[in-house]
Amino acid sequence: MASTVSFVNFIVDQIDGAYFKKMFGEYGVYLEGKMILLICDDTLFVKPSEKIENILKSRHLAPPYNGAKDYYVISELEDKEYLNMLAKIKFDETPYPKPRKLKNKN
């Protein structure tokens, strides 16, 4: 089951400055070019880290898709302050993606 755009928009609206990109039928949530959260099957996931574990309200782990490592499932979706705190921590600990090299058409 794929995520609905209305669910994705709701999550993005909760996080200041966030936007989404569709990827492989699901969605990544981004801040300033960094993917910080994952949405699959209308469920919000955050990659585990020590800093994230210290502030989680619940510690339910599940894979976002078949074959994936476990991520934390975030169920406090209406707590805007909490979601912004998670987003800031993930933003701070996530490196910017490396620039892609352009393919030469010659």
Side-chain angles (χ1 to χ4, degrees):
M1 174 179 123
S3 296
T4 60
V5 176
S6 61
F7 180 82
V8 176
N9 281 324
F10 174 77
I11 297 300
V12 169
D13 288 346
Q14 296 290 82
I15 301 169
D16 298 332
Y19 59 97
F20 67 88
K21 290 184 183 179
K22 191 166 186 164
M23 36 187 278
F24 309 111
E26 293 296 347
Y27 298 87
V29 178
Y30 288 77
L31 272 178
E32 297 180 29
K34 297 181 185 183
M35 189 173 91
I36 55 166
L37 303 168
L38 187 61
I39 299 173
C40 297
D41 295 330
D42 281 348
T43 304
L44 182 63
F45 294 91
V46 63
K47 187 175 182 178
S49 73
E50 187 175 323
K51 290 179 181 178
I52 288 294
E53 289 171 12
N54 290 332
I55 65 150
L56 286 176
K57 292 183 177 180
S58 63
R59 289 183 165 73
H60 174 71
L61 286 164
Y65 51 89
N66 288 336
K69 293 181 181 182
D70 283 345
Y71 278 50
Y72 283 110
V73 175
I74 305 303
S75 56
E76 300 82 1
L77 303 178
E78 297 196 17
D79 187 341
K80 186 173 181 160
E81 185 177 324
Y82 178 65
L83 291 180
N84 275 279
M85 183 171 47
L86 287 173
K88 171 138 180 40
I89 289 170
K90 283 316 286 182
F91 178 82
D92 290 345
E93 65 185 22
T94 302
Y96 282 99
K98 294 179 182 175
R100 292 185 178 174
K101 294 181 181 177
L102 296 175
K103 291 183 180 183
N104 200 354
K105 290 187 177 186
N106 294 341

